[in-house]
């Protein structure tokens, strides 16, 4: 993936995430719409179900409740807070620091032992989401 494609995809994903988060906050009380295809088709939660609600709890300062709902919420909140600014600074200053970090992280995550641990954590989170009836 090229630098420009990565930066474009990341900025679009963050923008979509902020729009969905804003929509979710504004319609929280009357929400019947669910975007999770897995949940809509199977009736079972996916590993990321509850992430938006976890981010919302985090924004309310409820860190423990956010972690208990879905730990992915904190990861997503940190990424959505830091990554767009990092990319924009790279674009303005014509640097590639985020792109180099991405490539280095990609190389590290491809190590089988680390990939196995991350997959195991995602599976455990999925089982936990199903257990909680998210």
């Amino acid at each position: 993936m090229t630098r420009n494609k990565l930066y474009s995809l990341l900025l679009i994903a963050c923008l979509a995430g902020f729009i969905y988060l804003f929509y979710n906050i504004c319609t929280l009380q009357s929400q019947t719409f669910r975007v999770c295809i897995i949940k809509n088709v199977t009736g079972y939660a996916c590993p990321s179900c509850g992430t938006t609600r976890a981010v919302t709890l985090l924004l309310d300062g409820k860190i423990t409740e956010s972690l208990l709902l879905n730990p992915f919420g904190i990861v997503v909140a940190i990424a959505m807070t830091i990554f767009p600014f990092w990319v924009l600074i790279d674009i303005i200053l014509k640097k590639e620091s985020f792109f180099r970090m991405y490539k280095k992280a990609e190389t590290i995550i491809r190590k089988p032992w680390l990939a196995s641990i991350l997959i195991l954590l995602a599976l455990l989170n999925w089982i936990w989401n199903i257990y909680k009836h998210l």
Side-chain angles (χ1 to χ4, degrees):
M1 178 176 295
T2 66
R3 173 190 176 266
N4 289 343
K5 279 185 182 179
L6 174 68
Y7 287 7
S8 297
L9 284 174
L10 190 114
L11 291 175
I12 290 169
C14 284
L15 179 64
F18 282 117
I19 290 169
Y20 182 68
L21 182 64
F22 180 74
Y23 168 79
N24 200 304
I25 289 171
C26 291
T27 61
L28 193 59
Q29 299 303 320
S30 62
Q31 187 177 18
T32 56
F33 172 70
R34 293 184 186 269
V35 293
C36 181
I37 295 171
I38 294 173
K39 176 85 174 183
N40 288 333
V41 171
T42 67
Y44 293 104
C46 76
S48 65
C49 276
T51 301
T52 304
R53 286 174 278 163
V55 171
T56 304
L57 286 170
L58 195 62
L59 291 174
D60 290 339
K62 300 173 182 174
I63 297 170
T64 304
E65 287 125 345
S66 174
L67 273 171
L68 291 173
L69 184 62
N70 194 328
F72 288 168
I74 289 184
V75 174
V76 168
I78 291 170
M80 285 179 66
T81 303
I82 295 172
F83 291 173
F85 290 110
W86 192 349
V87 167
L88 288 174
I89 289 170
D90 264 7
I91 291 170
I92 291 168
L93 299 177
K94 298 181 180 179
K95 293 189 173 188
E96 293 188 335
S97 64
F98 183 84
F99 186 66
R100 286 194 309 269
M101 181 279 305
Y102 171 80
K103 287 293 188 186
K104 189 178 253 182
E106 188 178 46
T107 302
I108 293 170
I109 289 173
R110 285 185 180 203
K111 292 180 179 172
W113 65 270
L114 184 58
S116 300
I117 290 172
L118 294 174
I119 290 169
L120 179 65
L121 288 173
L123 287 173
L124 289 173
N125 194 50
W126 193 359
I127 292 167
W128 192 27
N129 280 351
I130 292 170
Y131 175 75
K132 292 181 294 186
H133 301 285
L134 283 182

